[in-house]
Amino acid sequence: MNLQDHIKLYNEAVFDSDRDRALKVVHDAVAQGVSPEDVVFEMVLPTMNLMIKAVSEDFNANLAQHFLTARIADAVTAEMIPKFKKLPEMVGRVVIGTAWGDLHTLGKRIVIGCLKARMIDVIDLGVNVPAERFVDEAVAREAPVIGISALMIHTATGENGCRKVRQILQERKLEDSIKIIVGGAPFRFHPQIFKTVGADTWAADAVTAGKVIEDLLQEARR
Amino acid sequence: MITGMDRLTAAIRGETADRIPVFCNLLDQGARELGMSPQEYYARGEHVAEGQIRMLRKFGHDNVWSLSYVGKEAELLGCRKIAYAKDGPPNVEDFVIHTPADIGKLTVPDDVLAHPMFAEVRKCLDILRREVGGRNPICAYITSTMTLPTLLMGMEKWMELLFLGPAEMRDALLAKCHDFFVKEVSAYRRSGADVVVYSNPFGSTDIVPMKFFMAQSLPWIERDLRAIGTNGVVYYCGMARMNQVIETVFDHTGIGAYYVSPLDDLAEAKRIIGGRGLTCGVINDIKLIDWSEADVRQEVRRILEAGMPGGRFLFGTGVMPLAIPEANIRAMLEEAYEFGSQKREMNR
Ligand code: B12
């Protein structure tokens, strides 16, 4: 089997949300001489990008699919990176957490899985994160992007969530160097509210979030 | 005088009343109306009943709720920590299930009706039944077997167990959740609830793939419905979409009412359900927060135009966020009352 065959099998397993099959494809590929670098950069990442394309073309992707795609990508990347010939260059760093008052972890967790597979360094601030902490951590860790997840309308639009993060960035004159991206159910029901809460951008799902954040980080490097 | 119950009954039977039934789900707004914090408000059944009755008087919609917040179900199963916000709904703060062993330890109360955590719900239902029973449909919110674990262990851990196993542990938990589900429905019905909103996001293909729905979700839906019957049951996916599964759910369970997501194509839902059941057209209440009154009215008309032809239609909302201005609530309801009147229905 050549690399193209492995890619095809991996692709099918991921689109079927079959973690065990995907992992088996990866292990078979490595056993047959595919390099860990090729597994990540030729199999995992392109498959995620295909998923983004499919989602944007109204392929009926569901939560389970995003969840399992992220889990698979996260697991494969974690296993392959230590086997790389030299450590991969990271695209950049992000701090991410759920908004103040919000205890829901899943959205953030899935986004993190997708980011790691893109060689993005993620700092997970956990749940119920005060606005000050988002900014303090972003500054301390030199992360040009803050990600905020919120599952309910009052945590997405409330005064202690993204709005306050924006206010602090403004007060500390950090708006040019730190960008805010938001996500979570309310933003999907109302695709305009990311603007009213003062975010720079948003993403409707985790695989797309990976790409949007990667773009933000590329911009920050310029 | 025509009552909310008359309107609902007429719509279910495919007859006409003065107007279509209108369900408006104002929960946290009751606390604001009574000038209380959500925590104070939800602590007492009489507060919630009073809040619901005041909402009804103020806005004139058709239904009332015995629901305080969804996390109540976790409390009936041992959760002792609820996080209260001042500007939003209460949330489960501490999960009952942290470890696999906790699944074994989970105990389902024999009689939910007699459970101390149900006492305030029961008080609320007693008052509602006395004050508006028979005139306004009293709604109960019941989380389906397959969705209930999210309240006990969180969405993340449940997705893991559901999709990645171990299967025996998953099935053991589902069996307990089903047992609780049946007892909970019985408790609500015995206390006077007329409408059972069967909340099942895991029965939506927004959450799970179709293959999984057929293999896993559907059998549990069938089991749930075989146990409680379809009387007064409304299929609801927590505002996730359901058009892809309506036909199957109907064929396999006979559920007669569907609370369609605002993200579904309503006209399509109506075509699928047709004359067989009640189509509930639901407004995107998150957009109600910042729409202008004119936008609100236009959206209500759009929904009614898609759903009313052929009758058997109800207009409804999700769990209305507190941030929605009262003027928009009024504009929405006025438009639904006016545009949903019999005169217009007959003219179509
Ligand atoms: C499943 C569900 C439930 C379940 C499970 C809840 C739980 N514990 O997680 C049940 C039925 C129990 C439930 C209960 C409630 N729910 Co509910 N629920 C849903 C539903 C259907 C899906 C939510 C979900 O978990 N999705 C999975 C997550 C992972 O998806 P997500 O957050 O959208 O994340 C994706 C993207 O948005 C993105 N993303 C996420 N975070 C981030 C961050 C960044 C930076 C980026 C870029 C992207 C990104 O990537 C993710 C993966 O693709 C939604 C409606 C819907 N269709 O979305 C309502 C919804 C979230 N619920 C809602 C509400 C109100 C509630 C309750 C508070 C009701 C009440 N009054 O009690 C309770 C709270 C229960 C509790 N926690 O105590 C509202 C919230 C809006 C509002 N009105 O405030 C919603 C939106 C429904 C609605 N339209 O009214 N719910």
Side-chain angles (χ1 to χ4, degrees):
Chain A
M1 264 207 288
N2 61 23
L3 181 59
Q4 291 312 316
D5 298 325
H6 293 300
I7 293 174
K8 186 164 171 288
L9 288 177
Y10 179 77
N11 226 302
E12 285 167 5
V14 171
F15 273 72
D16 282 347
S17 306
D18 191 333
R19 180 188 63 164
D20 295 343
R21 206 168 88 219
L23 291 178
K24 185 171 180 308
V25 172
V26 166
H27 293 146
D28 288 351
V30 173
Q32 287 173 34
V34 175
S35 73
E37 285 84 349
D38 276 353
V39 168
V40 172
F41 296 115
E42 302 299 328
M43 293 168 74
V44 176
L45 274 178
T47 299
M48 271 173 90
N49 287 334
L50 273 181
M51 183 78 84
I52 297 176
K53 190 159 172 285
V55 173
S56 68
E57 285 164 3
D58 198 32
F59 150 80
N60 264 313
N62 47 69
L63 176 68
Q65 218 146 15
H66 287 289
F67 172 71
L68 290 161
T69 303
R71 287 297 299 259
I72 296 167
D74 196 6
V76 174
T77 323
E79 196 183 316
M80 293 299 129
I81 288 182
K83 298 180 183 151
F84 276 21
K85 292 213 178 62
K86 65 177 191 4
L87 278 182
E89 194 193 335
M90 298 308 261
V91 176
R93 186 175 291 156
V94 177
V95 297
I96 189 167
T98 65
W100 177 246
D102 205 311
L103 305 169
H104 296 91
T105 57
L106 181 60
K108 171 174 70 71
R109 168 80 188 271
I110 304 178
V111 173
I112 290 175
C114 295
L115 292 176
K116 282 190 179 161
R118 289 180 171 274
M119 304 298 129
I120 292 169
D121 187 11
V122 196
I123 303 201
D124 183 359
L125 303 180
V127 297
N128 200 17
V129 180
E132 293 79 6
R133 192 155 165 246
F134 275 112
V135 180
D136 290 344
E137 294 281 352
V139 171
R141 315 268 191 145
E142 295 180 13
V145 176
I146 293 175
I148 309 174
S149 177
L151 201 84
M152 291 172 298
I153 198 73
H154 72 285
T155 54
T157 64
E159 57 192 27
N160 291 315
C162 184
R163 284 177 204 272
K164 192 157 177 193
V165 176
R166 167 59 64 205
Q167 191 195 327
I168 298 172
L169 288 182
Q170 210 168 16
E171 285 164 7
R172 299 202 204 158
K173 307 212 172 354
L174 291 167
E175 288 184 295
D176 287 338
S177 53
I178 300 178
K179 300 291 169 204
I180 310 173
I181 178 165
V182 289
F187 299 101
R188 291 196 297 113
F189 278 87
H190 195 338
Q192 298 305 316
I193 44 170
F194 83 91
K195 288 184 205 147
T196 40
V197 303
D200 292 291
T201 186
W202 78 293
D205 59 74
V207 280
T208 312
K211 178 82 180 79
V212 177
I213 290 174
E214 187 178 317
D215 292 347
L216 282 178
L217 290 170
Q218 301 286 13
E219 235 165 81
R221 285 163 68 144
R222 273 193 221 125
Chain B
M1 215 181 75
I2 300 177
T3 66
M5 192 63 103
D6 296 334
R7 293 181 187 117
L8 179 64
T9 313
I12 290 171
R13 292 192 183 138
E15 295 161 4
T16 43
D18 59 335
R19 62 163 169 79
I20 58 166
V22 173
F23 276 24
C24 186
N25 308 319
L26 299 161
L27 302 175
D28 303 327
Q29 287 80 356
R32 187 162 63 194
E33 190 73 16
L34 266 60
M36 291 177 185
S37 71
Q39 184 161 15
E40 191 187 357
Y41 175 73
Y42 286 126
R44 307 285 296 268
E46 51 266 47
H47 294 164
V48 177
E50 172 73 19
Q52 284 299 303
I53 292 166
R54 287 213 205 168
M55 287 297 116
L56 214 53
R57 289 204 195 110
K58 190 163 175 176
F59 294 113
H61 52 286
D62 293 320
N63 66 319
V64 288
W65 275 99
S66 58
L67 169 71
S68 32
Y69 47 86
V70 171
K72 193 73 182 173
E73 292 176 306
E75 292 186 288
L76 288 165
L77 285 166
C79 165
R80 290 295 168 267
K81 232 170 151 186
I82 296 290
Y84 290 93
K86 61 176 194 340
D87 52 354
N91 269 215
V92 171
E93 186 172 348
D94 188 26
F95 293 123
V96 178
I97 300 171
H98 292 284
T99 65
D102 292 337
I103 295 180
K105 282 188 272 179
L106 184 71
T107 41
V108 175
D110 278 334
D111 186 3
V112 171
L113 197 59
H115 194 286
M117 281 292 172
F118 199 73
E120 297 303 323
V121 178
R122 199 172 170 177
K123 222 189 282 168
C124 170
L125 274 158
D126 281 344
I127 299 170
L128 290 176
R129 213 174 39 199
R130 199 179 62 225
E131 297 293 324
V132 304
R135 284 179 287 140
N136 295 93
I138 301 174
C139 301
Y141 169 98
I142 318 271
T143 302
S144 75
T145 293
M146 191 167 262
T147 302
L148 188 59
T150 58
L151 288 166
L152 305 177
M153 61 199 302
M155 190 82 175
E156 182 178 339
K157 287 278 177 304
W158 175 232
M159 292 286 284
E160 236 157 71
L161 181 56
L162 187 59
F163 289 99
L164 304 172
E168 316 76 62
M169 204 192 288
R170 173 198 72 197
D171 294 342
L173 177 56
L174 284 168
K176 286 190 180 187
C177 287
H178 176 71
D179 183 23
F180 174 76
F181 166 84
V182 177
K183 288 173 173 158
E184 191 193 9
V185 173
S186 158
Y188 271 101
R189 281 185 171 153
R190 280 183 286 154
S191 312
D194 308 298
V195 174
V196 171
V197 175
Y198 178 70
S199 173
N200 191 23
F202 283 82
S204 159
T205 48
D206 278 350
I207 306 290
V208 302
M210 188 51 126
K211 222 156 89 187
F212 183 93
F213 173 87
M214 295 304 289
Q216 302 284 337
S217 306
L218 185 60
W220 280 108
I221 299 172
E222 289 177 294
R223 260 181 93 170
D224 283 353
L225 269 294
R226 260 201 311 274
I228 65 162
T230 57
N231 194 12
V233 175
V234 179
Y235 193 70
Y236 171 62
C237 297
M239 301 292 265
R241 289 179 295 179
M242 63 170 72
N243 273 3
Q244 290 194 15
V245 304
I246 292 176
E247 186 78 50
T248 309
V249 173
F250 186 88
D251 285 347
H252 286 252
T253 67
I255 291 178
Y258 295 83
Y259 215 77
V260 173
S261 165
L263 307 178
D264 274 309
D265 176 344
L266 179 59
E268 188 193 1
K270 178 78 187 210
R271 261 194 311 278
I272 301 168
I273 300 163
R276 296 183 295 183
L278 183 71
T279 303
C280 309
V282 180
I283 196 162
N284 183 341
D285 45 25
I286 294 186
K287 289 193 173 172
L288 276 178
I289 295 171
D290 56 16
W291 264 333
S292 70
E293 284 178 44
D295 292 339
V296 173
R297 288 177 189 273
Q298 193 185 347
E299 178 59 9
V300 172
R301 274 200 301 279
R302 189 193 66 77
I303 292 173
L304 265 49
E305 263 162 4
M308 274 173 70
R312 290 184 199 265
F313 183 71
L314 174 151
F315 174 82
T317 70
V319 187
M320 299 272 278
L322 258 179
I324 300 172
E326 242 181 64
N328 278 2
I329 303 180
R330 286 190 198 282
M332 171 187 80
L333 292 172
E334 277 167 24
E335 197 64 28
Y337 300 155
E338 161 61 21
F339 206 78
S341 71
Q342 186 199 23
K343 196 169 74 241
R344 289 192 191 258
E345 195 165 24
M346 303 242 291
N347 285 342
R348 341 314 350 263

